[in-house]
């Protein structure tokens, strides 16, 4: 098809040339130093066209000759640029391949090529990436001084350059990760605190902050960070619940007095305070610190909706209540007896209700429930031991020393 088009164009040019130049009746006269030269118009036009072609060719040749050094310099710069880029790619490949010594050498070679070429020295992003690869390789090789030197240089160039914001953010995240590897939680938190707000809320940054907070024994900060990660779906639902619960436990266990425990409890997220296991842990800690009334107040909402809890959650709430019974009021009795009737096969509930009735000196009702709980092997050994001891005290109150001795013997067998 292309040949046909060219053939048609050739015919069109031939027709136009024949029409325009076919008469050849024009004359061009040139005068120079008393001489005259007569040329036909067609020949003059051809000579003019030929002269233009020659002039253009001469000018192009002179321009190419004059620009030869510049093109040679550009070619050398392009060649060094390709060599530096190849070295950087090699460093990246070796780094991911686990050959950190080779990766460090390749990154340093790329940086050396760039430093020796003034035309390439303005590429700050290339330089930052090269220093980061060198720093990462040095970190893997346990060369902390070399790592810190390369990292400091990368951060300095990233702050000074334009268009290197992603490299600067990446450098700080890497530095925080390396600080965590060095078990330096304050340094990691400092680096993460310097990140912009948007970057600090990214999943990777939140994960690093969570690790740093846990390493620095800051469970409340870790809990807030874990809550953000859960909202960003940084964990599966089950893993998020387990992590949040364990961090809440750490926060509660760190309280040294009742007032501090109260502040920690109030600082927890409402979702955490509605977790039966967290409330049970808080109540147990409050009981150990002598704040039984407050502990029972934290547990009361769960006893009012036992039917909404699972068996494990009811057991946790029951065992927590059993530890804070001294001083329990009579208003608890209807609630506790209703729970024992609703779940007669759950040993933890029988144990808690029996201990509460024993605390209120209702020996008959307490003995039946405590005997059921003490005989259930599914109940924790510590709870069964306390149940036997409580049964022994009830027997002594009733004057049955023989039965009390048997109860103490059963309790001792569980030690």
């Amino acid at each position: 098809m292309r040949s046909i088009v060219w053939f048609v164009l050739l015919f069109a040019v031939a027709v136009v040339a024949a029409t325009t130049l076919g008469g050849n009746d024009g004359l061009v006269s040139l005068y120079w130093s008393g001489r005259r030269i007569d040329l036909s118009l067609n020949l003059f036009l051809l000579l003019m066209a030929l002269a233009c072609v020659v002039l253009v060719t001469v000018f192009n040749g002179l321009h190419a000759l004059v620009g030869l050094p510049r093109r040679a310099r550009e070619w050398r710069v392009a060649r060094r640029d390709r060599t530096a880029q190849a070295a950087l790619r090699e460093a990246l490949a070796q780094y991911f391949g686990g050959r950190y010594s080779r990766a460090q050498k390749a990154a340093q070679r790329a940086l050396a090529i760039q430093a020796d070429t003034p035309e390439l020295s303005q590429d700050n992003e290339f330089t930052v990436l090269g220093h980061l690869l060198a720093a990462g390789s040095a970190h893997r090789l346990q060369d902390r001084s070399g790592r810190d030197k390369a990292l400091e240089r990368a951060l300095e160039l990233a702050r000074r350059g334009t268009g290197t914001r992603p490299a600067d953010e990446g450098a700080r995240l890497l530095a925080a990760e390396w600080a965590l590897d060095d078990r330096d939680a304050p340094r990691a938190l400092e680096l993460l605190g310097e990140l912009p707000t948007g970057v600090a809320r990214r999943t990777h940054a939140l994960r690093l902050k969570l690790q740093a907070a846990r390493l620095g024994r800051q469970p409340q900060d870790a809990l807030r960070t874990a809550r953000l990660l859960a909202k960003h779906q940084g964990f599966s639902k089950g893993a998020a619940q387990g992590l949040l619960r364990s961090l809440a436990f750490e926060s509660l266990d760190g309280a040294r007095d009742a007032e501090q425990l109260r502040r920690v409890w109030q600082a927890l997220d409402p979702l955490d305070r509605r977790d039966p296991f967290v409330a049970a842990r808080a109540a147990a800690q409050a009981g150990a610190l002598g704040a039984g009334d407050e502990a029972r107040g934290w547990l009361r909402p769960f006893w009012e909706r036992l039917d909404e809890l699972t068996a494990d959650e009811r057991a946790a709430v029951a065992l927590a209540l059993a530890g804070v019974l001294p001083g329990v009021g009579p208003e608890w009795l209807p609630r506790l007896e209703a729970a024992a009737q609703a779940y007669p096969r759950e040993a933890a509930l029988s144990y808690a209700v029996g201990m509460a009735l024993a605390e209120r000196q209702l020996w008959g009702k307490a003995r039946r429930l405590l005997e059921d709980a003490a005989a259930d092997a599914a109940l924790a050994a510590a709870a069964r031991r306390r149940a036997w001891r409580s049964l022994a005290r009830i027997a002594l109150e009733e004057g049955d020393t023989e039965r009390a001795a048997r109860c103490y013997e059963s309790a001792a067998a569980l030690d």
Side-chain angles (χ1 to χ4, degrees):
M1 185 64 185
R2 184 179 298 178
S3 59
I4 295 175
V5 172
W6 279 109
F7 194 66
V8 171
L9 288 176
L10 180 62
F11 268 94
V13 171
V15 170
V16 171
T19 303
T20 305
L21 304 176
N24 198 23
D25 52 359
L27 183 66
V28 175
S29 298
L30 301 176
Y31 295 92
W32 184 264
S33 300
R35 299 179 182 180
R36 189 181 74 178
I37 300 175
D38 294 327
L39 301 172
S40 66
L41 181 60
N42 292 348
L43 179 59
F44 177 77
L45 293 176
L46 290 174
L47 290 176
M48 289 293 293
L50 182 60
C52 290
V53 170
V54 171
L55 287 175
V56 170
T57 303
V58 170
F59 284 139
N60 287 338
L62 291 174
H63 182 267
L65 185 63
V66 172
L68 188 60
R70 178 182 54 82
R71 289 203 307 277
R73 185 172 61 255
E74 291 176 353
W75 177 83
R76 287 193 299 270
V77 171
R79 182 180 179 184
R80 294 182 69 84
D81 185 31
R82 288 193 298 269
T83 304
Q85 295 286 349
L88 190 65
R89 288 194 298 271
E90 180 188 355
L92 191 61
Q94 297 289 1
Y95 182 82
F96 287 134
R99 295 180 173 179
Y100 302 115
S101 179
R102 296 185 181 184
Q104 187 178 29
K105 291 177 182 178
Q108 290 173 349
R109 186 167 63 252
L111 292 172
I113 293 172
Q114 187 195 35
D116 292 340
T117 309
E119 291 82 359
L120 302 179
S121 60
Q122 302 303 318
D123 191 354
N124 274 348
E125 189 172 10
F126 180 94
T127 312
V128 171
L129 291 176
H131 282 297
L132 285 180
L133 277 173
S137 302
H139 174 73
R140 299 295 183 180
L141 295 171
Q142 300 297 315
D143 181 11
R144 288 183 173 81
S145 60
R147 178 200 68 188
D148 294 340
K149 183 178 179 181
L151 179 62
E152 183 180 357
R153 180 62 177 161
L155 290 173
E156 179 184 354
L157 289 171
R159 286 192 298 265
R160 192 173 58 191
T162 58
T164 56
R165 180 178 175 182
D168 179 55
E169 296 167 357
R172 295 186 183 280
L173 288 173
L174 279 175
E177 186 174 349
W178 297 337
L180 287 175
D181 290 343
D182 294 341
R183 313 294 293 175
D184 188 355
R187 173 62 175 164
L189 290 172
E190 178 186 356
L191 289 165
L192 292 170
E194 295 174 356
L195 292 172
T197 305
V199 182
R201 295 179 69 87
R202 294 175 186 170
T203 301
H204 182 56
L206 289 175
R207 287 181 186 275
L208 293 176
K209 186 176 181 181
L210 174 60
Q211 295 177 32
R214 298 193 73 179
L215 181 62
R217 299 188 180 279
Q218 301 178 13
Q220 295 186 35
D221 290 342
L223 184 59
R224 285 191 291 268
T225 305
R227 180 69 65 186
L228 282 175
L229 269 172
K231 290 180 180 179
H232 286 78
Q233 297 182 350
F235 306 108
S236 64
K237 185 176 180 181
Q241 185 179 21
L243 177 62
L244 292 171
R245 187 174 292 159
S246 66
L247 290 172
F249 288 173
E250 290 181 20
S251 298
L252 294 168
D253 293 344
R256 295 293 177 264
D257 53 50
E259 181 60 31
Q260 185 180 4
L261 179 64
R262 190 177 300 111
R263 289 197 300 269
V264 172
W265 173 257
Q266 294 299 327
L268 291 178
D269 191 272
L271 291 175
D272 295 322
R273 293 200 296 270
R274 288 196 293 269
D275 187 333
F277 293 100
V278 175
R281 190 63 164 257
Q285 185 72 359
L289 296 174
D293 292 340
E294 198 155 13
R296 290 191 295 273
W298 295 341
L299 292 173
R300 181 174 298 178
F302 299 98
W303 282 91
E304 293 173 352
R305 53 182 182 89
L306 284 178
D307 56 334
E308 299 178 9
L309 307 181
T310 65
D312 291 339
E313 291 171 344
R314 286 194 293 269
V317 171
L319 293 175
L321 179 64
V324 293
L325 285 174
V328 64
E331 71 277 2
W332 275 87
L333 297 181
R335 186 180 299 110
L336 294 174
E337 291 178 348
Q341 294 174 3
Y343 304 97
R345 297 184 180 276
E346 295 190 10
L349 281 174
S350 299
Y351 164 71
V353 176
M355 293 292 286
L357 293 173
E359 178 70 21
R360 298 296 303 174
Q361 299 183 359
L362 300 173
W363 312 126
K365 294 181 179 180
R367 183 173 62 250
R368 179 178 56 82
L369 292 172
L370 289 174
E371 286 175 349
D372 292 341
D376 195 329
L379 188 63
R384 293 176 63 196
R385 187 163 50 249
R386 286 193 293 269
W388 281 118
R389 289 174 179 170
S390 183
L391 285 169
R393 286 193 295 271
I394 292 174
L396 291 175
E397 290 289 339
E398 294 176 344
D400 191 346
T401 57
E402 184 178 350
R403 182 159 53 88
R406 289 198 302 270
C407 291
Y408 278 127
E409 182 178 354
S410 298
L414 294 174
D415 288 336

